[in-house]
Amino acid sequence: MMKKSKLITKAWKQMSSRVAKHKAAAEEPHIPHDVPKGHLVVYVGKEEESYKRFVIKITLLHDPIIRALLDQSKDEVYDDFTSGDSKLCISCDETLFLEVLQNASPRNSWS
């Protein structure tokens, strides 16, 4: 039969191990499972409550209209980025964004 101190030590080590694993997992960047390689998530909408999530190809970031929308949105949502929220947001009407995606060059297709 183990002494009480050995049982406490064993329990402490097990708890420490679980905390360390949880801490390591929390520090790793979170990549959503539904985002394929070569794609990224952007949130589009006029207000944060109505943002719609889009998964687009990274190559679309080279499209001049997408870049213009991002530059325009940068000033509007700057406070969100400084608050620790790392969402890529485009502040425009969803219909306009869909039109931009449809007119983007064919090599920059979206999904």
Side-chain angles (χ1 to χ4, degrees), residues 3-100:
K3 290 187 175 180
K4 192 174 188 176
S5 62
K6 285 187 179 184
L7 287 173
I8 292 172
T9 303
K10 183 179 178 182
W12 181 259
K13 286 181 181 179
Q14 288 174 342
M15 189 178 357
S16 300
S17 174
R18 279 186 261 153
V19 169
K21 287 178 187 175
H22 179 70
K23 185 178 177 185
E27 291 175 355
E28 292 177 10
H30 176 69
I31 299 173
H33 296 293
D34 64 334
V35 180
K37 187 175 183 172
H39 291 70
L40 62 101
V41 174
V42 294
Y43 293 88
V44 177
K46 288 287 189 182
E47 296 181 20
E48 189 171 348
E49 297 82 30
S50 65
Y51 281 159
K52 182 156 183 192
R53 183 178 183 265
F54 287 87
V55 177
I56 63 171
K57 287 191 173 188
I58 290 175
T59 56
L60 275 171
L61 295 178
H62 297 293
D63 186 87
I65 299 173
I66 297 286
R67 290 181 77 70
L69 286 171
L70 284 168
D71 288 341
Q72 177 185 347
S73 298
K74 184 170 55 176
D75 296 331
E76 295 175 25
V77 295
Y78 180 74
D79 291 334
D80 289 343
F81 287 109
T82 58
S83 69
D85 186 7
S86 60
K87 291 180 179 177
L88 185 57
C89 301
I90 296 179
S91 180
C92 78
D93 183 63
E94 180 185 333
T95 308
L96 172 67
F97 185 71
L98 288 171
E99 234 176 86
V100 168

